[in-house]
Amino acid sequence: RIDDVPVVEVDYKSLHPAILAAAKGVDFNKDCYDFGEVIIPRLTASEQRAAVKLLVLTAINASERDQAFQAHRDGSDITLKNVELSKLLDTFIGNNPYLQSQVTEIIIQNFLNADKPILSVHDSYLVQEQDVDLLLKQMKLATDKVVGKSLNVDQDYLSYGQAQQRINDFKQDPEVNPL
C-alpha cells in the first residue's frame, strides 16, 4: 500500500536482454533465459535457466568475463567451470545497464510531474492501483524514447481501466449477452 491505497507491480520482462536485443534490431517475445534445450548436460533445464539468468545479469554489469564468472560463483549454488560459463555467456554479448536507469528516470520524472507516488525496484514499479494505466503508458513512452521500441511488461493485477474494459467487452459479447 502507498498512502493506504493498494498497489500494483508492473515490471519489464527480461529488461536487460530486451534492451540489448533492441539495440541489435533483434525482436523476441520469449523467455530469453531458456534455450529450449539443456546445453550443460549435468544441469536440469531449471538449473540451467537460473544459471543463464544470473550469468547474463552479472555479465551485463561486469567489465570483463572473469569478473562476470566470479560474480556468478558468488551468487549461485551451482558451480560451473569457466568453459561452461563461457558457453552460456556467448549467447549474450554487450553491456549497457545505463539504459535501464534512463528508462526509470523518465518514468519516475513523469510520475513526479503528475504528483503521483511511484516506487521502483530494479526493473519493476509499484504504483497505486488507479495509476496502472498511467504507468503502462509511461513505460511504453520511456522504452520507445530510450531503446526505440516498446518492451514487454508483466503485471500482477489488472488496473481499474483494464478491468472495466474487460467487463464492457464481456457485456458486448453476443454469445454471452444475446439481444
Side-chain angles (χ1 to χ4, degrees), residues 24-67:
K24 295 286 186 186
V26 175
D27 199 17
F28 68 88
N29 292 316
K30 63 181 184 76
D31 182 351
C32 65
Y33 304 118
D34 183 355
F35 296 152
E37 64 178 308
V38 174
I39 62 172
I40 306 295
R42 62 188 182 90
L43 299 180
T44 66
S46 176
E47 289 172 332
Q48 179 177 285
R49 184 195 181 281
V52 169
K53 181 175 181 179
L54 179 60
L55 179 60
V56 168
L57 295 178
T58 55
I60 286 170
N61 294 299
S63 58
E64 55 188 56
R65 276 181 185 250
D66 288 342
Q67 185 182 17

Side-chain angles (χ1 to χ4, degrees), residues 159-176:
S159 70
Y160 177 79
Q162 291 168 324
Q164 193 62 47
Q165 182 61 49
R166 289 205 181 163
I167 290 169
N168 290 340
D169 291 347
F170 180 76
K171 287 179 180 177
Q172 294 176 6
D173 185 343
E175 291 183 19
V176 176

